[in-house]
Amino acid sequence: MASTATPSPMPDYNRNRLPTLFEVLNRRTLPPVDLFSFYIYMRDQQRSVDYLDFWLDVSQHMSLCRHYVRELRRSVLVGTPELEKSGSKRSSAILDNMGELNDTAGPSTYLSSEEKSQDQRLSYFLRTEAANGKTNGNDGSPQGSFGSQRQDESQPRPSFMTTPDAGRESDSPAHTVARPDIRASAEKILYTFLLPGSEREIILPNSITARITNSIEELGRDDPEVFDAAKDYVFQAMERDAFPGFLRTKALGNLVPPSMMLRLIVGLLSMFGGFWTAFILIFLNYPRETRVWLVLPFTLGVYFLASHQYALDPVMALVGFSEYTFMSFSRIREPFVRKLLNQRAMMVLGVTLLVVAALVVLFVFVPGKRL
């Protein structure tokens, strides 16, 4: 159910439950269930990071449009004639009635009625502006615009590390957004993710892809509403297919698959060494005080096998660390996840001690017999 209040961009330290995908995408969570960790999970384990990149690019496109409208509103408030030179009084009235724009990132089903109304007015204004020919083809992006400062595609994407309202922090010319930048942003999303055979094509229903292509290429639209259906579809796909696995991996465990495989190998080798040594000590009739040293290989083997089974290193969890890539660690800062992992760590340690005690008692107290 959609909340009637605008979600805060700050993490919720009092949340006594696991976060939702909506909260993760809105940067309201902390490691190891934050947006950065979800991006790494989608890239390395789910192998479907293109869907998340599409979502992030559409969210950035929405922020770009909002920032552009804020710039126009600011120009009206300070008395510049920019609107009057290129538009009508009707568009100026739309700007005045648009209200305070927020940067909530979410599917339409998660937005309040006020937020939906704001987004509709924003898209209507941009459609009206394009239809009235307010931007002619010779108007390039100013030197300080977003479009002229776009990063090369080979560089790592920064969008999941930045706040969605970063554009509103400064009034300097370096933060100016030109109308062609919005058009370029919409075309980049279309040509990168949606057209058949594109560089990072994602699978969407043909009806959605055809509607977006027609809106951008034939109707000349670039307002955020063009991508609403695709954005909702991708959100539901990630929520259904990827997010449950992400929570299992990060909220119930703290290891990545390569590390789990390493623990499985070390655990099996340790158990083999323990059993091999135990039978030698029994058949050579070594005293029980010597056989007590079997606790070392059995503890190591059971510990690593339990870590692999539960995808959780209990000591690392109790210290407060989680692995996000192989041998790279981050602190567990989400309070509920920290509590959950501590409980599971104590359970894993209890199982480990119980199994080790049973093995040691078995091989220490079994009568020895020299062959």
Side-chain angles (χ1 to χ4, degrees):
M1 180 180 297
S3 172
T4 56
T6 300
S8 169
M10 299 299 295
D12 183 3
Y13 293 99
N14 299 319
R15 180 174 41 239
N16 194 31
R17 56 171 175 78
L18 292 175
T20 64
L21 178 59
F22 179 75
E23 291 169 328
V24 171
L25 293 176
N26 275 280
R27 302 167 176 86
R28 299 173 62 199
T29 56
L30 296 169
V33 289
D34 59 331
L35 182 56
F36 176 77
S37 299
F38 185 55
Y39 190 92
I40 297 297
Y41 172 81
M42 292 288 286
R43 184 193 68 186
D44 296 345
Q45 298 186 41
Q46 196 70 16
R47 306 291 183 182
S48 55
V49 72
D50 290 344
Y51 288 86
L52 181 55
D53 274 335
F54 170 78
W55 168 276
L56 294 172
D57 282 354
V58 171
S59 297
Q60 276 194 327
H61 179 71
M62 170 66 86
S63 296
L64 197 69
C65 294
R66 287 168 173 159
H67 189 71
Y68 172 72
V69 172
R70 289 191 191 104
E71 291 288 321
L72 291 182
R73 291 178 61 187
R74 187 178 295 114
S75 69
V76 173
L77 293 175
V78 299
T80 58
E82 180 179 344
L83 281 177
E84 296 178 3
K85 290 190 298 183
S86 59
S88 64
K89 294 182 178 180
R90 183 182 181 190
S91 296
S92 179
I94 295 174
L95 284 174
D96 293 337
N97 295 328
M98 201 165 293
E100 182 62 30
L101 298 174
N102 62 77
D103 283 292
T104 303
S108 57
T109 53
Y110 278 71
L111 300 180
S112 67
S113 57
E114 180 182 352
E115 290 165 345
K116 289 180 182 178
S117 178
Q118 281 186 348
D119 290 348
Q120 289 170 356
R121 289 197 295 267
L122 173 66
S123 294
Y124 176 75
F125 171 77
L126 294 174
R127 287 198 305 270
T128 303
E129 187 183 46
N132 290 341
K134 290 190 173 184
T135 306
N136 61 60
N138 297 326
D139 286 338
S141 301
Q143 184 176 1
S145 71
F146 280 9
S148 61
Q149 294 181 346
R150 268 192 292 273
Q151 293 187 343
D152 187 87
E153 288 300 313
S154 61
Q155 299 297 320
R157 63 172 297 111
S159 59
F160 60 89
M161 297 295 294
T162 58
T163 56
D165 57 347
R168 72 168 83 174
E169 298 297 331
S170 173
D171 298 336
S172 66
H175 288 265
T176 301
V177 181
R179 191 63 172 82
D181 298 337
I182 298 177
R183 178 69 186 177
S185 174
E187 290 178 343
K188 175 189 172 185
I189 295 172
L190 174 66
Y191 299 145
T192 302
F193 298 102
L194 301 178
L195 289 183
S198 56
E199 177 186 358
R200 304 176 64 187
E201 181 184 1
I202 61 176
I203 306 302
L204 296 177
N206 291 333
S207 58
I208 295 179
T209 304
R211 192 181 311 124
I212 295 175
T213 303
N214 180 70
S215 297
I216 294 178
E217 294 190 332
E218 302 297 330
L219 304 181
R221 291 178 57 183
D222 52 19
D223 55 280
E225 209 171 68
V226 170
F227 300 105
D228 276 355
K231 190 177 182 183
D232 290 351
Y233 182 89
V234 168
F235 181 90
Q236 292 168 7
M238 291 192 298
E239 188 175 45
R240 180 185 63 249
D241 300 331
F243 194 64
F246 171 70
L247 289 182
R248 274 195 307 272
T249 301
K250 296 301 181 182
L252 301 180
N254 63 351
L255 299 176
V256 296
S259 185
M260 291 170 58
M261 184 58 63
L262 177 62
R263 281 165 167 76
L264 175 62
I265 295 173
V266 173
L268 290 175
L269 291 176
S270 298
M271 293 300 291
F272 174 80
F275 282 116
W276 182 75
T277 306
F279 282 111
I280 286 180
L281 295 179
I282 290 173
F283 292 125
L284 292 180
N285 200 19
Y286 274 80
R288 288 170 178 168
E289 52 268 25
T290 301
R291 283 187 260 169
V292 169
W293 289 103
L294 292 171
V295 69
L296 296 180
F298 282 143
T299 299
L300 192 64
V302 173
Y303 180 86
F304 280 118
L305 290 179
S307 297
H308 170 268
Q309 179 65 29
Y310 292 97
L312 175 71
D313 187 305
V315 172
M316 192 167 68
L318 292 174
V319 174
F321 284 93
S322 179
E323 191 176 35
Y324 61 91
T325 58
F326 184 62
M327 300 303 293
S328 298
F329 307 95
S330 63
R331 280 205 166 273
I332 303 171
R333 297 175 55 205
E334 183 75 21
F336 182 76
V337 172
R338 177 70 182 270
K339 181 174 69 173
L340 197 61
L341 287 177
N342 285 343
Q343 293 173 352
R344 286 177 57 83
M346 296 302 296
M347 183 268 292
V348 173
L349 284 178
V351 170
T352 300
L353 293 176
L354 184 63
V355 174
V356 169
L359 290 172
V360 171
V361 168
L362 174 64
F363 285 103
V364 167
F365 290 97
V366 68
K369 181 176 177 63
R370 190 175 185 89
L371 297 179

